[in-house]
Amino acid sequence: MAARIKKGDKVVVRTGKDKGKTGEVLRIIPEDSRAVVRGINVSRRHQRQTTTAQGGIVSKEMPIHLSNVAIVDPRDGKASRVGFKFVGEGEARRKVRFAKLSGDVIDG
């Protein structure tokens, strides 16, 4: 199955404590259907000091379920669903993602 949300996409949170916030996808965890988004679902962890890292309280982004995020529409910045369509003819034909809200192509 093709990925609807990919690393580097701008997404908006639809539910939870960070509802309405936007951020960039840093990492996708496909086996758990989760994504790590910059500035979203931030948790504070106590970290012991090691020879390479300083100890103290560290803020870390935790994974959020993909059903709770939606891609940002390139035209107006609102949350949109993702669809797939083919563009081009013959050898140049390729599958692209598009925002269902405006119809704009998301990648390439």
Side-chain angles (χ1 to χ4, degrees):
M1 187 173 120
R4 296 188 185 277
I5 296 177
K6 296 181 179 179
K7 179 181 175 180
D9 284 346
K10 296 284 184 199
V11 294
V12 61
V13 179
R14 299 170 74 187
T15 60
K17 67 176 184 176
D18 294 323
K19 181 177 180 176
K21 291 185 182 177
T22 60
E24 180 185 354
V25 176
L26 301 174
R27 188 165 60 102
I28 294 287
I29 308 166
E31 55 272 4
D32 296 335
S33 297
R34 292 183 176 271
V36 177
V37 183
R38 179 175 285 126
I40 305 297
N41 199 20
V42 177
S43 175
R44 293 167 58 87
R45 299 283 181 191
H46 293 267
Q47 183 173 338
R48 185 182 297 268
Q49 184 175 357
T50 64
T51 56
T52 59
Q54 178 107 9
I57 300 174
V58 178
S59 294
K60 179 181 178 185
E61 288 101 356
M62 302 303 287
I64 186 169
H65 200 271
L66 289 175
S67 65
N68 296 332
V69 296
I71 201 141
V72 172
D73 193 300
R75 186 177 293 177
D76 60 5
K78 294 182 180 178
S80 176
R81 292 178 297 147
V82 177
F84 293 95
K85 65 181 176 183
F86 290 94
V87 295
E89 294 295 326
E91 290 292 320
R93 186 174 178 185
R94 59 193 172 90
K95 189 176 183 180
V96 295
R97 297 180 302 156
F98 73 98
K100 288 201 171 188
L101 192 64
S102 65
D104 290 352
V105 174
I106 294 167
D107 46 9

